[in-house]
Amino acid sequence: MLSLLLAEGHGGGLIPAPVRSAIDRLCDPQYFLPLFFVAFVAGLVFYRKWTQPKVAGGIALAALAGFGLALTNHNFLEIVERPDNIPIVGMLGLVAFFTWYSLRLAAVNDERIEKGEGPIEKTGSNDRVLVWPDLVFSEFIALILCTVLLVVWAIAVKAPLEDPANPFKTPNPSKAPWYFLGLQEMLVYYDPWLAGVVLPGLIIVGLCAAPYIDFNPKGNGYYTFKERRFAISAFLFGFLNLWVVMVLIGTFLRGPNWNVFGPFEKWDVHKVVVLNNVNLSEGFWIGWLKTGFPAWFGASPANGSLAQAGNVIARELPGLVLVLLYLAVPPPVLASTVMKGFYKRMGFIRFNLLVFLMLSMMCLPIKMILRWTLNLKYLVAMPEWFLNI
Amino acid sequence: MDALADSPAPEPANPPAASVPAPPRFVSEYPSYQVSRRGFLSWLAVGWGAFAASGAAAGGAFNRFLMPNLPLYNPPMVLKVGWPDAFEKDKVDERQKPNGFWLRRGFDKATGRTGIYALSTTCTHLGCTPNYLSAEQKFKCPCHGSGFYETGINFEGPAPRPLERYRITLADDGQVMVDKGRKFQQEKGEWMDSEAFLAI
């Protein structure tokens, strides 16, 4: 029976083929990312329901069962058991566990706060322990267990070393270390200087600036979600949707030629994917207006470099206008509508900083969706000056 | 002895009533730790000297890394790659990939001319080396998925501009000669340059 299943094409396994192909299709990032976002929002809205130990335990068991069933598929197993990918499988489990754990503590505290009992951490009676012997012993045991785990891991799984580097033969696919796969995924949608320098820099600067932007004094020293909805949601969105999920896509779904493959799909080097993409300027001047690129400053290259520069800017005007509008319009609009309270409490500078950081965070999903749905390459494409947005 | 240390110091039985107390004078309990000015300064000099010496040694070792153990190998920038009829028509020639370029002979859709051109093997996105996929007739980068036609024009993925072409001429002996020192970029209109293409 099992051999029959394994003999089947596409890796076989205990999960029926239609279900597998459905999962493969849903794992295409253009469906997967919105679906994950919906689940993320639902998870935050109903955080008191699903974090109850029985519900969360049920979800965890179902996920483990599904993972176990998926392991019977040859293609899935091949990706998951790669020495490079084993820690990422473990990391996903840890991320899920700690997200649940922190939200669970927050849910318990929020209920207590509503009843007027105050958070558990402030009652003073909760599990305080002595450094010696309790803490030191726990740490010692944890240290021994970690060492045992690392030794067993090092013996059981071979280090994923590759051939000596050869500048003329790039491995296909070429993957960064797992913690950089989010950046590598970002590089698919942006120019290197943006995805490799500006946006990661903004992540670091933004995280450093968070304590100074934050105006909410609550939640200090205890778990809560209700009192810090905005801060926790924004952080979790950036961490789960834009970092963990990107690592996941880069690790498990990106195959040869950096094409997207479903988890049960064979990594075929010759998979044909239509990815032809165009710049906004091409779509605007040639596709829509059908006038060709503007030559307002003279068509001939003999007109000098200044005229040519003018033409380049004229060509990219639609994208430049869009980018400027994207950065300039939301702050005043938000300040006078949805985020009025924020603006009052934060003041002009802090509020604008916050909105700018949020906008630069949203750059990534917006550009990803534009690429998938409209085949857009760059909003502003000025390869003459190595400036592409 | 331990008990002595803990007990309070015995007070003098009859303190002199009118005597002025002597000014307190510091005497270390541990005579071996008494350091003279000269001794202190000389140890200071020894310490700083050792620090400076180890710093200099570390700096020297660091500088040593700047010099390779092997003689520097500078790959030739100008290569003779064979006579023009050694290249099959309408096929990408991969023999010079280790030297950093592909050659293609035939009609060039990008410039509308017929002949040979040399395409750089460096992806214009982040510098990986794309693979040539003969079935799809394209170059595909394994790092971020950029795709290029056989002309070098980018059409998929994040690469912002076409692959660069190298200067290609006929040598005195009639062989095709590629000069990697001179690049031609399509977005600057340089592909129409006479040396960006070898008309045959």
Side-chain angles (χ1 to χ4, degrees), chain A residues 167-168 170 172 174 184 187-188 192 257-258 275-277 377-378 388, chain B residues 97-98 125-126 129 136 140 142-145 149 154-158 160:
Chain A
F168 308 111
T170 321
N172 191 8
S174 276
Q184 193 169 358
L187 278 161
V188 175
N257 297 330
W258 213 250
L275 291 171
N276 292 35
N277 50 20
K377 186 185 286 176
Y378 289 113
N388 306 285
Chain B
K97 194 181 176 188
H125 178 232
L126 263 182
T129 306
E136 289 87 344
K140 186 76 174 165
C143 291
H144 305 91
Y149 293 126
N154 55 321
F155 71 98
E156 62 182 7

PDB file of all heavy atoms in Angstrom, chain A residues 167-168 170 172 174 184 187-188 192 257-258 275-277 377-378 388, chain B residues 97-98 125-126 129 136 140 142-145 149 154-158 160:
ATOM      1  N   PRO A 167      33.662  31.240  -9.007  1.00  0.00           N
ATOM      2  CA  PRO A 167      32.943  32.447  -9.443  1.00  0.00           C
ATOM      3  C   PRO A 167      32.174  32.245 -10.741  1.00  0.00           C
ATOM      4  O   PRO A 167      31.327  33.065 -11.079  1.00  0.00           O
ATOM      5  CB  PRO A 167      34.055  33.491  -9.601  1.00  0.00           C
ATOM      6  CG  PRO A 167      35.306  32.711  -9.694  1.00  0.00           C
ATOM      7  CD  PRO A 167      35.105  31.439  -8.942  1.00  0.00           C
ATOM      8  N   PHE A 168      32.468  31.174 -11.478  1.00  0.00           N
ATOM      9  CA  PHE A 168      31.800  31.005 -12.767  1.00  0.00           C
ATOM     10  C   PHE A 168      30.665  29.992 -12.705  1.00  0.00           C
ATOM     11  O   PHE A 168      30.032  29.705 -13.692  1.00  0.00           O
ATOM     12  CB  PHE A 168      32.814  30.590 -13.820  1.00  0.00           C
ATOM     13  CG  PHE A 168      33.982  31.524 -13.845  1.00  0.00           C
ATOM     14  CD1 PHE A 168      35.225  31.114 -13.434  1.00  0.00           C
ATOM     15  CD2 PHE A 168      33.803  32.845 -14.235  1.00  0.00           C
ATOM     16  CE1 PHE A 168      36.296  31.992 -13.426  1.00  0.00           C
ATOM     17  CE2 PHE A 168      34.861  33.721 -14.224  1.00  0.00           C
ATOM     18  CZ  PHE A 168      36.115  33.299 -13.827  1.00  0.00           C
ATOM     19  N   THR A 170      27.507  29.419 -10.274  1.00  0.00           N
ATOM     20  CA  THR A 170      26.704  29.786  -9.113  1.00  0.00           C
ATOM     21  C   THR A 170      25.739  28.652  -8.815  1.00  0.00           C
ATOM     22  O   THR A 170      25.080  28.173  -9.735  1.00  0.00           O
ATOM     23  CB  THR A 170      25.919  31.069  -9.398  1.00  0.00           C
ATOM     24  OG1 THR A 170      26.753  31.941 -10.142  1.00  0.00           O
ATOM     25  CG2 THR A 170      25.500  31.738  -8.134  1.00  0.00           C
ATOM     26  N   ASN A 172      22.453  26.686  -7.995  1.00  0.00           N
ATOM     27  CA  ASN A 172      21.103  27.041  -8.423  1.00  0.00           C
ATOM     28  C   ASN A 172      20.091  26.248  -7.618  1.00  0.00           C
ATOM     29  O   ASN A 172      20.010  25.044  -7.778  1.00  0.00           O
ATOM     30  CB  ASN A 172      20.960  26.715  -9.917  1.00  0.00           C
ATOM     31  CG  ASN A 172      19.707  27.285 -10.499  1.00  0.00           C
ATOM     32  OD1 ASN A 172      19.008  28.037  -9.855  1.00  0.00           O
ATOM     33  ND2 ASN A 172      19.396  26.899 -11.720  1.00  0.00           N
ATOM     34  N   SER A 174      20.780  29.872  -5.451  1.00  0.00           N
ATOM     35  CA  SER A 174      21.794  30.371  -4.536  1.00  0.00           C
ATOM     36  C   SER A 174      21.102  31.027  -3.358  1.00  0.00           C
ATOM     37  O   SER A 174      20.453  32.044  -3.524  1.00  0.00           O
ATOM     38  CB  SER A 174      22.667  31.412  -5.239  1.00  0.00           C
ATOM     39  OG  SER A 174      23.679  30.772  -5.946  1.00  0.00           O
ATOM     40  N   GLN A 184      16.907  38.512   1.135  1.00  0.00           N
ATOM     41  CA  GLN A 184      17.039  38.053  -0.244  1.00  0.00           C
ATOM     42  C   GLN A 184      15.684  38.116  -0.958  1.00  0.00           C
ATOM     43  O   GLN A 184      15.611  38.478  -2.130  1.00  0.00           O
ATOM     44  CB  GLN A 184      17.582  36.627  -0.266  1.00  0.00           C
ATOM     45  CG  GLN A 184      18.033  36.198  -1.650  1.00  0.00           C
ATOM     46  CD  GLN A 184      18.809  34.898  -1.643  1.00  0.00           C
ATOM     47  OE1 GLN A 184      19.049  34.308  -0.597  1.00  0.00           O
ATOM     48  NE2 GLN A 184      19.205  34.448  -2.803  1.00  0.00           N
ATOM     49  N   LEU A 187      15.064  41.538  -1.978  1.00  0.00           N
ATOM     50  CA  LEU A 187      15.867  41.934  -3.136  1.00  0.00           C
ATOM     51  C   LEU A 187      15.221  41.537  -4.457  1.00  0.00           C
ATOM     52  O   LEU A 187      15.601  42.045  -5.500  1.00  0.00           O
ATOM     53  CB  LEU A 187      17.260  41.304  -3.043  1.00  0.00           C
ATOM     54  CG  LEU A 187      18.233  42.049  -2.153  1.00  0.00           C
ATOM     55  CD1 LEU A 187      19.383  41.161  -1.756  1.00  0.00           C
ATOM     56  CD2 LEU A 187      18.757  43.269  -2.879  1.00  0.00           C
ATOM     57  N   VAL A 188      14.264  40.596  -4.406  1.00  0.00           N
ATOM     58  CA  VAL A 188      13.582  40.219  -5.638  1.00  0.00           C
ATOM     59  C   VAL A 188      12.707  41.375  -6.123  1.00  0.00           C
ATOM     60  O   VAL A 188      12.433  41.499  -7.309  1.00  0.00           O
ATOM     61  CB  VAL A 188      12.740  38.945  -5.402  1.00  0.00           C
ATOM     62  CG1 VAL A 188      11.921  38.592  -6.621  1.00  0.00           C
ATOM     63  CG2 VAL A 188      13.637  37.785  -5.035  1.00  0.00           C
ATOM     64  N   PRO A 192      19.175  46.732  -5.250  1.00  0.00           N
ATOM     65  CA  PRO A 192      20.046  46.412  -4.119  1.00  0.00           C
ATOM     66  C   PRO A 192      20.231  47.538  -3.110  1.00  0.00           C
ATOM     67  O   PRO A 192      20.218  47.287  -1.906  1.00  0.00           O
ATOM     68  CB  PRO A 192      21.366  46.072  -4.797  1.00  0.00           C
ATOM     69  CG  PRO A 192      20.997  45.602  -6.135  1.00  0.00           C
ATOM     70  CD  PRO A 192      19.761  46.352  -6.527  1.00  0.00           C
ATOM     71  N   ASN A 257      16.404  28.613 -10.180  1.00  0.00           N
ATOM     72  CA  ASN A 257      16.135  29.859 -10.914  1.00  0.00           C
ATOM     73  C   ASN A 257      15.308  30.833 -10.099  1.00  0.00           C
ATOM     74  O   ASN A 257      14.709  31.761 -10.633  1.00  0.00           O
ATOM     75  CB  ASN A 257      15.432  29.584 -12.243  1.00  0.00           C
ATOM     76  CG  ASN A 257      16.301  28.754 -13.156  1.00  0.00           C
ATOM     77  OD1 ASN A 257      17.523  28.844 -13.093  1.00  0.00           O
ATOM     78  ND2 ASN A 257      15.686  27.928 -13.961  1.00  0.00           N
ATOM     79  N   TRP A 258      15.279  30.603  -8.782  1.00  0.00           N
ATOM     80  CA  TRP A 258      14.533  31.455  -7.858  1.00  0.00           C
ATOM     81  C   TRP A 258      13.051  31.493  -8.206  1.00  0.00           C
ATOM     82  O   TRP A 258      12.356  32.459  -7.950  1.00  0.00           O
ATOM     83  CB  TRP A 258      15.136  32.851  -7.776  1.00  0.00           C
ATOM     84  CG  TRP A 258      14.968  33.424  -6.407  1.00  0.00           C
ATOM     85  CD1 TRP A 258      14.151  34.460  -6.057  1.00  0.00           C
ATOM     86  CD2 TRP A 258      15.590  32.992  -5.199  1.00  0.00           C
ATOM     87  NE1 TRP A 258      14.226  34.675  -4.698  1.00  0.00           N
ATOM     88  CE2 TRP A 258      15.109  33.789  -4.158  1.00  0.00           C
ATOM     89  CE3 TRP A 258      16.499  31.987  -4.887  1.00  0.00           C
ATOM     90  CZ2 TRP A 258      15.502  33.635  -2.835  1.00  0.00           C
ATOM     91  CZ3 TRP A 258      16.891  31.829  -3.578  1.00  0.00           C
ATOM     92  CH2 TRP A 258      16.400  32.643  -2.568  1.00  0.00           C
ATOM     93  N   LEU A 275       7.203  35.481 -16.118  1.00  0.00           N
ATOM     94  CA  LEU A 275       7.473  36.541 -15.139  1.00  0.00           C
ATOM     95  C   LEU A 275       7.761  37.873 -15.816  1.00  0.00           C
ATOM     96  O   LEU A 275       8.216  38.799 -15.166  1.00  0.00           O
ATOM     97  CB  LEU A 275       8.678  36.152 -14.278  1.00  0.00           C
ATOM     98  CG  LEU A 275       8.500  34.987 -13.312  1.00  0.00           C
ATOM     99  CD1 LEU A 275       9.836  34.593 -12.720  1.00  0.00           C
ATOM    100  CD2 LEU A 275       7.541  35.357 -12.208  1.00  0.00           C
ATOM    101  N   ASN A 276       7.529  37.951 -17.137  1.00  0.00           N
ATOM    102  CA  ASN A 276       7.871  39.196 -17.846  1.00  0.00           C
ATOM    103  C   ASN A 276       7.318  40.389 -17.081  1.00  0.00           C
ATOM    104  O   ASN A 276       6.134  40.418 -16.754  1.00  0.00           O
ATOM    105  CB  ASN A 276       7.255  39.200 -19.245  1.00  0.00           C
ATOM    106  CG  ASN A 276       7.899  38.154 -20.116  1.00  0.00           C
ATOM    107  OD1 ASN A 276       8.271  37.092 -19.627  1.00  0.00           O
ATOM    108  ND2 ASN A 276       8.039  38.444 -21.389  1.00  0.00           N
ATOM    109  N   ASN A 277       8.164  41.355 -16.802  1.00  0.00           N
ATOM    110  CA  ASN A 277       7.674  42.503 -16.052  1.00  0.00           C
ATOM    111  C   ASN A 277       8.123  43.804 -16.717  1.00  0.00           C
ATOM    112  O   ASN A 277       9.095  43.829 -17.466  1.00  0.00           O
ATOM    113  CB  ASN A 277       8.114  42.440 -14.587  1.00  0.00           C
ATOM    114  CG  ASN A 277       9.598  42.175 -14.447  1.00  0.00           C
ATOM    115  OD1 ASN A 277      10.361  42.401 -15.377  1.00  0.00           O
ATOM    116  ND2 ASN A 277      10.006  41.712 -13.302  1.00  0.00           N
ATOM    117  N   LYS A 377       7.815  46.105 -12.566  1.00  0.00           N
ATOM    118  CA  LYS A 377       9.216  45.929 -12.162  1.00  0.00           C
ATOM    119  C   LYS A 377       9.626  47.042 -11.211  1.00  0.00           C
ATOM    120  O   LYS A 377       9.896  46.806 -10.049  1.00  0.00           O
ATOM    121  CB  LYS A 377      10.113  45.907 -13.395  1.00  0.00           C
ATOM    122  CG  LYS A 377      11.557  45.590 -13.053  1.00  0.00           C
ATOM    123  CD  LYS A 377      12.475  45.676 -14.261  1.00  0.00           C
ATOM    124  CE  LYS A 377      12.268  44.497 -15.165  1.00  0.00           C
ATOM    125  NZ  LYS A 377      13.081  44.601 -16.375  1.00  0.00           N
ATOM    126  N   TYR A 378       9.666  48.278 -11.713  1.00  0.00           N
ATOM    127  CA  TYR A 378      10.043  49.396 -10.854  1.00  0.00           C
ATOM    128  C   TYR A 378       9.073  50.557 -11.058  1.00  0.00           C
ATOM    129  O   TYR A 378       8.665  50.844 -12.178  1.00  0.00           O
ATOM    130  CB  TYR A 378      11.471  49.866 -11.144  1.00  0.00           C
ATOM    131  CG  TYR A 378      12.514  48.892 -10.692  1.00  0.00           C
ATOM    132  CD1 TYR A 378      13.304  48.212 -11.600  1.00  0.00           C
ATOM    133  CD2 TYR A 378      12.699  48.644  -9.332  1.00  0.00           C
ATOM    134  CE1 TYR A 378      14.255  47.301 -11.173  1.00  0.00           C
ATOM    135  CE2 TYR A 378      13.646  47.739  -8.905  1.00  0.00           C
ATOM    136  CZ  TYR A 378      14.421  47.077  -9.827  1.00  0.00           C
ATOM    137  OH  TYR A 378      15.346  46.185  -9.406  1.00  0.00           O
ATOM    138  N   ASN A 388      16.560  53.045  -8.738  1.00  0.00           N
ATOM    139  CA  ASN A 388      15.317  52.362  -9.062  1.00  0.00           C
ATOM    140  C   ASN A 388      14.527  52.144  -7.785  1.00  0.00           C
ATOM    141  O   ASN A 388      15.078  51.726  -6.782  1.00  0.00           O
ATOM    142  CB  ASN A 388      15.607  51.003  -9.712  1.00  0.00           C
ATOM    143  CG  ASN A 388      16.523  51.143 -10.906  1.00  0.00           C
ATOM    144  OD1 ASN A 388      16.123  51.589 -11.965  1.00  0.00           O
ATOM    145  ND2 ASN A 388      17.779  50.771 -10.720  1.00  0.00           N
TER     146      ASN A 388
ATOM    147  N   LYS B  97      32.681  31.271 -20.830  1.00  0.00           N
ATOM    148  CA  LYS B  97      32.041  31.642 -19.563  1.00  0.00           C
ATOM    149  C   LYS B  97      33.057  31.739 -18.421  1.00  0.00           C
ATOM    150  O   LYS B  97      32.983  32.654 -17.596  1.00  0.00           O
ATOM    151  CB  LYS B  97      30.931  30.651 -19.231  1.00  0.00           C
ATOM    152  CG  LYS B  97      30.006  31.153 -18.142  1.00  0.00           C
ATOM    153  CD  LYS B  97      28.926  30.162 -17.801  1.00  0.00           C
ATOM    154  CE  LYS B  97      28.100  30.682 -16.634  1.00  0.00           C
ATOM    155  NZ  LYS B  97      27.151  29.696 -16.109  1.00  0.00           N
ATOM    156  N   PRO B  98      34.046  30.802 -18.350  1.00  0.00           N
ATOM    157  CA  PRO B  98      35.047  30.958 -17.280  1.00  0.00           C
ATOM    158  C   PRO B  98      35.823  32.263 -17.376  1.00  0.00           C
ATOM    159  O   PRO B  98      36.369  32.731 -16.379  1.00  0.00           O
ATOM    160  CB  PRO B  98      35.964  29.753 -17.484  1.00  0.00           C
ATOM    161  CG  PRO B  98      35.123  28.748 -18.177  1.00  0.00           C
ATOM    162  CD  PRO B  98      34.201  29.522 -19.064  1.00  0.00           C
ATOM    163  N   HIS B 125      21.872  42.912 -11.407  1.00  0.00           N
ATOM    164  CA  HIS B 125      21.160  43.183 -10.163  1.00  0.00           C
ATOM    165  C   HIS B 125      22.152  43.204  -9.002  1.00  0.00           C
ATOM    166  O   HIS B 125      22.404  44.240  -8.412  1.00  0.00           O
ATOM    167  CB  HIS B 125      20.079  42.121  -9.957  1.00  0.00           C
ATOM    168  CG  HIS B 125      19.302  42.269  -8.693  1.00  0.00           C
ATOM    169  ND1 HIS B 125      19.139  41.250  -7.796  1.00  0.00           N
ATOM    170  CD2 HIS B 125      18.652  43.324  -8.197  1.00  0.00           C
ATOM    171  CE1 HIS B 125      18.413  41.678  -6.779  1.00  0.00           C
ATOM    172  NE2 HIS B 125      18.094  42.930  -6.982  1.00  0.00           N
ATOM    173  N   LEU B 126      22.756  42.055  -8.701  1.00  0.00           N
ATOM    174  CA  LEU B 126      23.713  42.019  -7.598  1.00  0.00           C
ATOM    175  C   LEU B 126      24.989  41.280  -7.943  1.00  0.00           C
ATOM    176  O   LEU B 126      25.757  40.966  -7.055  1.00  0.00           O
ATOM    177  CB  LEU B 126      23.072  41.379  -6.367  1.00  0.00           C
ATOM    178  CG  LEU B 126      22.519  42.361  -5.352  1.00  0.00           C
ATOM    179  CD1 LEU B 126      21.948  41.609  -4.157  1.00  0.00           C
ATOM    180  CD2 LEU B 126      23.598  43.301  -4.865  1.00  0.00           C
ATOM    181  N   THR B 129      26.357  35.076 -11.208  1.00  0.00           N
ATOM    182  CA  THR B 129      26.552  34.607 -12.573  1.00  0.00           C
ATOM    183  C   THR B 129      25.301  33.850 -13.016  1.00  0.00           C
ATOM    184  O   THR B 129      25.006  32.796 -12.461  1.00  0.00           O
ATOM    185  CB  THR B 129      27.768  33.674 -12.649  1.00  0.00           C
ATOM    186  OG1 THR B 129      28.881  34.352 -12.090  1.00  0.00           O
ATOM    187  CG2 THR B 129      28.057  33.280 -14.071  1.00  0.00           C
ATOM    188  N   GLU B 136      15.007  27.349 -22.934  1.00  0.00           N
ATOM    189  CA  GLU B 136      14.190  28.560 -22.842  1.00  0.00           C
ATOM    190  C   GLU B 136      14.826  29.722 -23.583  1.00  0.00           C
ATOM    191  O   GLU B 136      14.223  30.793 -23.682  1.00  0.00           O
ATOM    192  CB  GLU B 136      13.997  28.947 -21.380  1.00  0.00           C
ATOM    193  CG  GLU B 136      13.083  28.032 -20.581  1.00  0.00           C
ATOM    194  CD  GLU B 136      13.817  26.854 -19.978  1.00  0.00           C
ATOM    195  OE1 GLU B 136      14.968  26.571 -20.410  1.00  0.00           O
ATOM    196  OE2 GLU B 136      13.258  26.196 -19.090  1.00  0.00           O
ATOM    197  N   LYS B 140      19.283  32.963 -16.874  1.00  0.00           N
ATOM    198  CA  LYS B 140      18.453  33.064 -15.677  1.00  0.00           C
ATOM    199  C   LYS B 140      19.362  33.064 -14.457  1.00  0.00           C
ATOM    200  O   LYS B 140      20.169  32.161 -14.261  1.00  0.00           O
ATOM    201  CB  LYS B 140      17.500  31.866 -15.634  1.00  0.00           C
ATOM    202  CG  LYS B 140      16.488  31.903 -14.519  1.00  0.00           C
ATOM    203  CD  LYS B 140      15.361  32.861 -14.792  1.00  0.00           C
ATOM    204  CE  LYS B 140      14.296  32.743 -13.698  1.00  0.00           C
ATOM    205  NZ  LYS B 140      13.373  33.858 -13.711  1.00  0.00           N
ATOM    206  N   PRO B 142      20.329  32.585 -10.664  1.00  0.00           N
ATOM    207  CA  PRO B 142      19.825  31.739  -9.575  1.00  0.00           C
ATOM    208  C   PRO B 142      19.693  32.466  -8.240  1.00  0.00           C
ATOM    209  O   PRO B 142      19.209  31.876  -7.292  1.00  0.00           O
ATOM    210  CB  PRO B 142      20.888  30.635  -9.477  1.00  0.00           C
ATOM    211  CG  PRO B 142      22.139  31.284  -9.920  1.00  0.00           C
ATOM    212  CD  PRO B 142      21.749  32.313 -10.943  1.00  0.00           C
ATOM    213  N   CYS B 143      20.122  33.715  -8.166  1.00  0.00           N
ATOM    214  CA  CYS B 143      20.102  34.395  -6.861  1.00  0.00           C
ATOM    215  C   CYS B 143      18.769  35.083  -6.578  1.00  0.00           C
ATOM    216  O   CYS B 143      18.214  34.953  -5.499  1.00  0.00           O
ATOM    217  CB  CYS B 143      21.233  35.412  -6.779  1.00  0.00           C
ATOM    218  SG  CYS B 143      22.842  34.634  -6.710  1.00  0.00           S
ATOM    219  N   HIS B 144      18.261  35.860  -7.556  1.00  0.00           N
ATOM    220  CA  HIS B 144      16.992  36.552  -7.315  1.00  0.00           C
ATOM    221  C   HIS B 144      16.056  36.424  -8.494  1.00  0.00           C
ATOM    222  O   HIS B 144      15.062  37.134  -8.586  1.00  0.00           O
ATOM    223  CB  HIS B 144      17.227  38.023  -6.987  1.00  0.00           C
ATOM    224  CG  HIS B 144      18.161  38.224  -5.843  1.00  0.00           C
ATOM    225  ND1 HIS B 144      19.507  38.370  -6.018  1.00  0.00           N
ATOM    226  CD2 HIS B 144      17.956  38.253  -4.511  1.00  0.00           C
ATOM    227  CE1 HIS B 144      20.092  38.492  -4.842  1.00  0.00           C
ATOM    228  NE2 HIS B 144      19.183  38.423  -3.912  1.00  0.00           N
ATOM    229  N   GLY B 145      16.400  35.539  -9.449  1.00  0.00           N
ATOM    230  CA  GLY B 145      15.463  35.219 -10.512  1.00  0.00           C
ATOM    231  C   GLY B 145      15.428  36.179 -11.679  1.00  0.00           C
ATOM    232  O   GLY B 145      14.466  36.173 -12.444  1.00  0.00           O
ATOM    233  N   TYR B 149      17.109  37.901 -22.131  1.00  0.00           N
ATOM    234  CA  TYR B 149      17.070  37.256 -23.438  1.00  0.00           C
ATOM    235  C   TYR B 149      18.492  36.993 -23.915  1.00  0.00           C
ATOM    236  O   TYR B 149      19.467  37.470 -23.307  1.00  0.00           O
ATOM    237  CB  TYR B 149      16.360  38.151 -24.459  1.00  0.00           C
ATOM    238  CG  TYR B 149      14.885  38.349 -24.202  1.00  0.00           C
ATOM    239  CD1 TYR B 149      14.347  39.629 -24.106  1.00  0.00           C
ATOM    240  CD2 TYR B 149      14.033  37.256 -24.081  1.00  0.00           C
ATOM    241  CE1 TYR B 149      13.001  39.817 -23.879  1.00  0.00           C
ATOM    242  CE2 TYR B 149      12.681  37.440 -23.853  1.00  0.00           C
ATOM    243  CZ  TYR B 149      12.169  38.713 -23.754  1.00  0.00           C
ATOM    244  OH  TYR B 149      10.839  38.905 -23.523  1.00  0.00           O
ATOM    245  N   ASN B 154      17.074  42.571 -20.271  1.00  0.00           N
ATOM    246  CA  ASN B 154      16.395  42.032 -19.094  1.00  0.00           C
ATOM    247  C   ASN B 154      14.896  42.055 -19.305  1.00  0.00           C
ATOM    248  O   ASN B 154      14.351  43.032 -19.831  1.00  0.00           O
ATOM    249  CB  ASN B 154      16.760  42.867 -17.864  1.00  0.00           C
ATOM    250  CG  ASN B 154      16.474  44.326 -18.056  1.00  0.00           C
ATOM    251  OD1 ASN B 154      16.698  44.863 -19.143  1.00  0.00           O
ATOM    252  ND2 ASN B 154      15.966  44.981 -17.031  1.00  0.00           N
ATOM    253  N   PHE B 155      14.222  40.973 -18.907  1.00  0.00           N
ATOM    254  CA  PHE B 155      12.762  40.960 -19.101  1.00  0.00           C
ATOM    255  C   PHE B 155      12.025  40.413 -17.907  1.00  0.00           C
ATOM    256  O   PHE B 155      10.806  40.510 -17.838  1.00  0.00           O
ATOM    257  CB  PHE B 155      12.401  40.166 -20.360  1.00  0.00           C
ATOM    258  CG  PHE B 155      12.611  38.683 -20.240  1.00  0.00           C
ATOM    259  CD1 PHE B 155      11.553  37.839 -19.951  1.00  0.00           C
ATOM    260  CD2 PHE B 155      13.870  38.143 -20.394  1.00  0.00           C
ATOM    261  CE1 PHE B 155      11.751  36.475 -19.828  1.00  0.00           C
ATOM    262  CE2 PHE B 155      14.078  36.781 -20.257  1.00  0.00           C
ATOM    263  CZ  PHE B 155      13.020  35.942 -19.987  1.00  0.00           C
ATOM    264  N   GLU B 156      12.693  39.828 -16.937  1.00  0.00           N
ATOM    265  CA  GLU B 156      11.969  39.338 -15.762  1.00  0.00           C
ATOM    266  C   GLU B 156      12.870  39.456 -14.539  1.00  0.00           C
ATOM    267  O   GLU B 156      14.087  39.543 -14.662  1.00  0.00           O
ATOM    268  CB  GLU B 156      11.501  37.897 -15.958  1.00  0.00           C
ATOM    269  CG  GLU B 156      12.629  36.911 -16.151  1.00  0.00           C
ATOM    270  CD  GLU B 156      12.143  35.475 -16.387  1.00  0.00           C
ATOM    271  OE1 GLU B 156      10.938  35.251 -16.533  1.00  0.00           O
ATOM    272  OE2 GLU B 156      12.990  34.587 -16.436  1.00  0.00           O
ATOM    273  N   GLY B 157      12.230  39.475 -13.378  1.00  0.00           N
ATOM    274  CA  GLY B 157      13.002  39.575 -12.149  1.00  0.00           C
ATOM    275  C   GLY B 157      13.486  40.991 -11.899  1.00  0.00           C
ATOM    276  O   GLY B 157      13.126  41.920 -12.612  1.00  0.00           O
ATOM    277  N   PRO B 158      14.322  41.171 -10.880  1.00  0.00           N
ATOM    278  CA  PRO B 158      14.645  42.527 -10.429  1.00  0.00           C
ATOM    279  C   PRO B 158      15.762  43.244 -11.196  1.00  0.00           C
ATOM    280  O   PRO B 158      15.984  44.418 -10.944  1.00  0.00           O
ATOM    281  CB  PRO B 158      15.075  42.313  -8.981  1.00  0.00           C
ATOM    282  CG  PRO B 158      15.620  40.923  -8.950  1.00  0.00           C
ATOM    283  CD  PRO B 158      14.853  40.139  -9.971  1.00  0.00           C
ATOM    284  N   PRO B 160      17.734  45.682 -13.094  1.00  0.00           N
ATOM    285  CA  PRO B 160      17.216  46.955 -13.595  1.00  0.00           C
ATOM    286  C   PRO B 160      17.674  47.297 -15.000  1.00  0.00           C
ATOM    287  O   PRO B 160      17.119  48.198 -15.620  1.00  0.00           O
ATOM    288  CB  PRO B 160      17.764  47.966 -12.593  1.00  0.00           C
ATOM    289  CG  PRO B 160      19.004  47.347 -12.064  1.00  0.00           C
ATOM    290  CD  PRO B 160      18.813  45.868 -12.124  1.00  0.00           C
TER     291      PRO B 160
END
